[in-house]
Amino acid sequence: MVKQSMKKYNIQSIIDWLYRISTLKWFNYLQDALIAAFPIIVVNGFLETILQALMTDNGFFVVIFHLEHFVASNAVLINQLTVLVQLLQVFANTIIAVQFSRNVIKSLDNNIACGAMAAFSFIILSIKLGQNHELIFLIHGVTFALLTGLGVSKCFDFFRVEVNKDDNDYQNALIATLTNIKPILCIIFCVLILKILNFEIDSNGINAHLHSIIQTALTDNHYSLIPVLLILFLRSISKFMGINADFLFSFSTRAQLVNLNRALKFAHPVAAVHPTAYSTLYSCFAHLGGDGMLLALIIVVLIIGKNQHLKRLLTWSFIPTFFNFSEPVMVGFPIMYMPIYLIPFIMSPLVTTVIAYPFLKYNIVPAPVYPVPNGTPGLLKAFIATGGNIPTLLLALLCLVVSCFIYLPFVKAEMRLINLEHAKIRSSFKR
């Protein structure tokens, strides 16, 4: 009993410590910036769900309801919707850059100019000209937006000029306007330099070279448990930090083809050559609701959460997350950069992979080898990829339940600490 109480106390102490870090000033700035972009992110999540599941040739609803004619006859609408989704992504990250820069520099009178320059900088850095001089939107991660906002705010702060409060409003406005010239010129110069460097990076293919190195190092080893866990750990860290690095973790194309050919030859997915490939484990058992198994978090909060605002926020986020578009939860809850959820966000996919690995390796359940339509809900991926195998579906449900229990103590602790803070605020008002 003593050991159990000590263990519980240690876990609770760690959670309390992580929560206290989450309430520091810079994390508050970050949280405000992410919340400001949430309406755009959640709308974009719904549009992306519709685009992937209903408006692609291999979409989930297209395949189920045989809507191929609908897709073919609405090509113009689909193209426009694709562009709109990209624009909303850039717009949401622009809001994050603006809000974060204004939060950092809120003590200055010229924070409006700072926010405007943050928007200008991020938009310029997010577009480039194609071969035919058409505009191409570069989808940068949230981290890039935050760094842009921070850099712009620090530039304005560097050229700060104290305003004499005794002067009249017109005089102060004139001083503030003249003060803005130097940081604006400095920011434009830095943006031009970054655009030139970005061109050099693209022309030398550094991104492709980095992708090649990772693929060469892990492609022949991603069928074993330890390399798979390492890949999942790196992917979870990059997602938690708001870094868009999906291209670095696109493995197992060859393994998928080999598995599919073998399954078609023997007319059964149990005959898979590589049943424990990274893509098989990740997409069907460690990606339910997106990275970090965030569908489990939503379920836990909706069941035990008493904060009506958080429950309403996650209710809006449920449908995109059910279809594996987790950005609304990452940004709106938020999960991204919040220390209290770092442990469950990383642990959930690792633990569920460890659970599913022996079931696939020893053919207890068939390996998911068949192609899955775009926008398929995470819970149904394993079921569809095995040709309708019920035990594999139950294994996916088991992984989801385990993830719920992993998130449970962290959600409980945050709710308890939020209630304590609210009680302190109410008592201070009464006094």
Side-chain angles (χ1 to χ4, degrees), residues 112-324:
I112 295 178
C114 178
M117 287 307 298
F120 166 82
S121 302
F122 185 81
I123 291 173
I124 295 299
L125 293 172
S126 297
I127 59 175
K128 71 174 184 178
L129 290 176
Q131 294 180 350
N132 298 323
H133 300 287
E134 74 276 14
L135 287 179
I136 298 175
F137 297 99
L138 305 174
I139 307 301
H140 295 295
V142 173
T143 297
F144 188 82
L146 294 171
L147 290 176
T148 302
L150 180 63
V152 170
S153 63
K154 290 300 181 182
C155 186
F156 273 85
D157 189 46
F158 180 79
F159 292 101
R160 176 198 299 262
V161 172
E162 296 295 336
V163 178
N164 188 357
K165 300 298 182 181
D166 295 331
D167 294 336
N168 57 45
D169 293 338
Y170 175 78
Q171 188 75 16
N172 291 337
L174 183 60
I175 295 173
T177 299
L178 295 174
T179 303
N180 288 339
I181 295 176
K182 290 182 180 179
I184 288 174
L185 290 175
C186 178
I187 291 167
I188 292 175
F189 176 77
C190 292
V191 168
L192 290 175
I193 295 297
L194 288 175
K195 291 296 288 184
I196 294 172
L197 290 176
N198 187 54
F199 173 78
E200 292 298 327
I201 288 174
D202 288 342
S203 62
N204 292 329
I206 290 179
N207 289 339
H209 185 60
L210 181 61
H211 179 262
S212 176
I213 292 174
I214 294 178
Q215 293 285 316
T216 304
L218 294 174
T219 294
D220 295 332
N221 300 310
H222 66 259
Y223 314 120
S224 302
L225 181 59
I226 299 303
V228 168
L229 293 178
L230 176 61
I231 297 169
L232 282 172
F233 176 79
L234 294 175
R235 183 185 181 96
S236 298
I237 287 291
S238 66
K239 288 291 183 178
F240 187 82
M241 299 298 292
I243 300 171
N244 188 9
D246 289 337
F247 70 97
L248 294 176
F249 305 104
S250 56
F251 295 96
S252 304
T253 302
R254 179 178 172 275
Q256 288 174 324
L257 292 176
V258 171
N259 286 339
L260 179 59
N261 290 333
R262 189 68 176 268
L264 293 175
K265 181 179 179 181
F266 290 92
H268 202 284
V270 173
V273 179
H274 305 295
T276 57
Y278 162 76
S279 61
T280 300
L281 288 164
Y282 165 72
S283 61
C284 295
F285 304 104
H287 193 249
L288 307 183
D291 291 279
M293 300 285 285
L294 289 179
L295 183 60
L297 171 68
I298 291 183
I299 293 173
V300 170
V301 174
L302 292 180
I303 292 175
I304 71 164
K306 296 181 180 180
N307 189 305
Q308 295 301 317
H309 298 294
L310 288 180
K311 293 180 71 172
R312 191 188 312 168
L313 182 146
L314 290 184
T315 301
W316 278 104
S317 306
F318 180 80
I319 292 178
T321 306
F322 185 72
F323 288 89
N324 294 320

Side-chain angles (χ1 to χ4, degrees), residues 325-345:
F325 299 105
S326 58
E327 284 78 9
V329 183
M330 292 291 295
V331 172
F333 195 70
I335 297 295
M336 198 176 295
Y337 287 103
M338 289 297 111
I340 191 171
Y341 287 110
L342 173 62
I343 294 176
F345 187 83

